Amino acid sequence: MTDQIPVRRALLSVSDKTGLVDLGRSLAARGIDLLSTGGSARALREAGLLVQDVSEVTGFPEMMDGRVKTLHPAVHGGLLALRDNPEHLSAMEAHNIGPIDLLVVNLYPFEETVAGGADYDACIENIDIGGPAMIRAAAKNHAFVNVVVDLQDYEPLLAEMDANHGRTRYAFRQQLALTAYARTAAYDAAVSTWMAGALEQPAPRRRAVAGTLAQPLRYGENPHQGAAFYTDGSNRAGVATAKQLQGKELSYNNINDTDAAFELVAEFAADDGPACAIIKHANPCGVARGDTMLDAYRRAYDCDRTSAFGGIVALNRPLDAQTAEEITSIFTEVVIAPGADEEAREIFARKKNLRLLTTEGLPDPRAGALSVRQVAGGFLVQDRDNGHVTRDALKTVTKRAPTERELEDLLFAWTVAKHVKSNAIVYARQGTTVGIGAGQMSRVDSTRIAARKSRDMAEALGLVKPLTLGSVVASDAFFPFADGLLTAAEAGATAVIQPGGSMRDEEVIAAADEAGLAMVFTAMRHFRH
């Protein structure tokens, strides 16, 4: 095998024709013969380029609505033949098979078809067959063949040939082959994932997961860990699809925390009023609704000012100037919102390192999707936690039913608790969190920590009474004993929301009645690990 291989003949067959004509012209100008199919050949020919149709090479017309056009030895032999193997060369000569040195293919838009809500038959029709077959053949024979599957590789290909007098290096072809195999793998993953959903099979025998590199990262959670950020093509509003208007490059932890913040704040529809969530280490340290966005931010900040320092701020409405001024008064890592007005952007521009991300809207908290987590030797797959509880679904289990105000705060606290690491306890009052206990091994400890943090914040704000006085409390899972509930009552909580389902539910209910608490069961748990 020779390191550098000349490019003399290219096959171009693309679904996305962006840049096709310019590439064709560049190849033709370098003396490369062009071979093409269907619409690609027509586009090149209309641009005045000399193109040979694949049907002329195979001796067969395109047939069956284009399903069969390149699946032929004259094509695959030209891609797979080893140029240094005498037997292969003899077979090529005997069967009049010309070598193909460059393959440029992008595939039928299957992912886009699915995302557009097409029906089953339309999705099936957009599964590419000939394209992946050619890509895999060319990639396997990268010792002699270049294969390009991404538009962003058009210019590097031309630059490589120019730097090597019309040839390409083996290392370059290896990289192209790697990209090609990853593309066909991702394509097949998209098809199999879609089909599993279409056939309502939550646990297919094999599960494939794929992504497209969005950003190499300086490091992972810690400096000694390598990392990168990949998108899954779902186009869900959030950190993966957001536009970064300013600030330093996002880090691994920034991306993780920003996702947690925006997914939480999206639980509160913009039409229902402003809402703000402040996140630190993937846990909320303050969440609030308000009359204005500034009001919501201030309320969220006042839940835990200490933890909010260096945090991530997510808004459910566009960022305005007043809120921008307030946010920039302390150190903040990232702000994400569905838009930002011009004055707010100008204010943020004074803080050059502050990252500002804007999206086209809020993610749908009720939308279904899969969540994947790696474990040693495999990975766990589950449905995204899109569970939602309405007022009608709540069951009052105590003698006293919650008041209207308590009920509103209970639903608010429950919504926030869904996004807090277990064991999770959330105290809330008047649409604002006033104490959050996260990630403790025992539920009573989370209850105590949240209450203590509330007392500390009350002192910092110059208040005589703790913020939890007159609050409600949410627990992401049932209270296994009455101790956690009684701790919440001692902190000043008047109503409780929890899933129920403990063997000791009757004991806990009796304790709530004795303490004068109102308690409702959701029959839904929100563990988060």
Side-chain angles (χ1 to χ4, degrees):
M1 183 198 72
T2 304
D3 178 68
Q4 294 193 1
I5 298 295
V7 179
R8 299 190 179 98
R9 189 168 182 242
L11 170 53
L12 288 71
S13 180
V14 296
S15 176
D16 182 354
K17 295 173 179 57
T18 304
L20 172 64
V21 170
D22 288 341
L23 177 63
R25 284 180 177 144
S26 298
L27 295 174
R30 289 164 174 80
I32 298 169
D33 295 333
L34 303 182
L35 179 65
S36 192
T37 63
S40 298
R42 185 166 51 253
L44 293 167
R45 195 169 286 119
E46 289 174 354
L49 294 168
L50 183 63
V51 184
Q52 185 179 24
D53 283 303
V54 162
S55 58
E56 296 177 33
V57 174
T58 64
F60 283 86
E62 294 184 14
M63 61 182 74
M64 303 176 186
D65 298 320
R67 286 188 171 202
V68 180
K69 51 189 173 186
T70 59
L71 297 170
H72 192 279
V75 174
H76 284 267
L79 293 170
L80 283 165
L82 298 174
R83 312 309 200 248
D84 58 358
N85 186 312
E87 291 184 6
H88 287 207
L89 296 177
S90 295
M92 291 176 73
E93 185 176 359
H95 297 285
N96 195 29
I97 297 174
I100 298 172
D101 310 307
L102 168 64
L103 176 71
V104 180
V105 172
N106 57 58
L107 305 175
Y108 290 176
F110 177 82
E111 296 99 330
E112 292 83 352
T113 301
V114 172
D119 62 23
Y120 185 91
D121 289 341
C123 291
I124 289 292
E125 206 55 40
N126 274 276
I127 298 174
D128 204 326
I129 302 300
M134 290 192 294
I135 289 171
R136 290 177 62 83
K140 177 175 181 176
N141 203 24
H142 64 268
F144 302 99
V145 180
N146 302 271
V147 53
V148 174
V149 297
D150 290 330
L151 273 62
Q152 56 261 47
D153 287 328
Y154 288 2
E155 285 301 323
L157 169 70
L158 298 173
E160 173 74 9
M161 288 192 294
D162 288 345
N164 296 286
H165 309 289
R167 298 169 176 262
T168 61
R169 294 168 296 118
Y170 180 61
F172 180 78
R173 297 191 300 277
Q174 280 183 309
Q175 188 60 48
L176 291 179
L178 167 62
T179 301
Y181 277 126
R183 176 63 187 117
T184 57
Y187 196 78
D188 286 340
V191 173
S192 63
T193 297
W194 164 78
M195 184 160 276
L199 299 182
E200 298 183 347
Q201 292 191 13
R205 183 179 301 168
R206 290 183 174 85
R207 172 74 72 182
V209 179
T212 300
L213 181 65
Q215 176 187 338
L217 301 173
R218 285 188 300 150
Y219 53 81
E221 284 187 276
N222 302 292
H224 64 276
Q225 295 173 265
F229 181 35
Y230 288 83
T231 57
D232 63 9
S234 64
N235 291 321
R236 182 175 175 83
V239 65
T241 54
K243 181 179 181 181
Q244 184 170 351
L245 302 182
Q246 71 161 64
K248 296 188 297 184
E249 182 180 89
L250 290 166
S251 70
Y252 181 100
N253 292 327
N254 290 154
I255 292 168
N256 189 52
D257 288 352
T258 302
D259 177 67
F262 206 52
E263 289 290 329
L264 193 167
V265 85
E267 297 276 1
F268 306 104
D271 291 343
D272 292 337
C276 172
I278 305 175
I279 296 288
K280 195 75 167 289
H281 295 300
N283 273 309
C285 46
V287 184
R289 312 187 77 156
D291 295 329
T292 65
M293 190 55 70
L294 176 61
D295 182 40
Y297 171 75
R298 283 174 170 168
R299 287 169 175 262
Y301 177 57
D302 282 346
C303 175
D304 186 353
R305 290 184 174 184
T306 300
S307 299
F309 185 85
I312 310 293
V313 175
L315 311 176
N316 73 340
R317 288 185 176 185
L319 175 68
D320 58 68
Q322 284 186 310
T323 310
E325 283 283 9
E326 192 79 6
I327 291 173
T328 56
S329 66
I330 68 161
F331 171 55
T332 301
E333 287 275 7
V334 183
V335 175
I336 183 169
D341 66 33
E342 191 61 36
E343 192 175 354
R345 294 185 190 187
E346 291 175 0
I347 292 167
F348 266 40
R350 303 173 199 155
K351 301 280 187 178
K352 294 184 178 181
N353 289 334
L354 173 57
R355 304 162 181 88
L356 174 59
L357 307 182
T358 58
T359 68
E360 293 299 321
L362 296 172
D364 180 1
R366 312 287 177 261
L370 293 179
S371 172
V372 181
R373 173 170 293 186
Q374 189 170 9
V375 297
F379 54 90
L380 294 167
V381 179
Q382 66 174 349
D383 295 330
R384 184 206 308 274
D385 184 0
N386 60 355
H388 175 67
V389 172
T390 63
R391 290 187 179 209
D392 293 340
L394 299 179
K395 179 182 178 182
T396 301
V397 295
T398 49
K399 295 176 182 178
R400 184 174 78 80
T403 66
E404 179 63 24
R405 182 193 66 78
E406 286 174 330
L407 191 57
E408 289 182 3
D409 280 341
L410 286 169
L411 288 169
F412 171 82
W414 177 253
T415 300
V416 175
K418 171 183 171 181
H419 295 265
V420 180
K421 296 293 180 70
S422 301
N423 286 304
I425 292 293
V426 176
Y427 293 91
R429 190 181 66 196
Q430 297 178 348
T432 302
T433 58
V434 293
I436 298 174
Q440 297 304 304
M441 290 69 73
S442 72
R443 193 158 301 278
V444 67
D445 282 344
S446 287
T447 309
R448 290 168 178 158
I449 288 171
R452 181 186 59 77
K453 290 175 75 69
S454 178
R455 290 195 300 272
D456 292 345
M457 195 63 234
E459 291 178 9
L461 294 172
L463 302 176
V464 176
K465 298 179 180 180
L467 297 174
T468 50
L469 192 63
S471 68
V472 304
V473 66
S475 174
D476 66 330
F478 61 66
F479 284 102
F481 302 97
D483 54 357
L485 179 138
L486 294 175
T487 299
E490 291 169 3
T494 62
V496 179
I497 185 170
Q498 59 138 319
S502 168
M503 294 176 60
R504 295 181 176 82
D505 273 351
E506 293 303 319
E507 175 187 326
V508 174
I509 292 169
D513 282 333
E514 186 174 348
L517 300 175
M519 184 161 65
V520 296
F521 282 1
T522 64
M524 177 182 290
R525 189 178 72 187
H526 280 310
F527 268 166
R528 186 178 182 88
H529 296 109

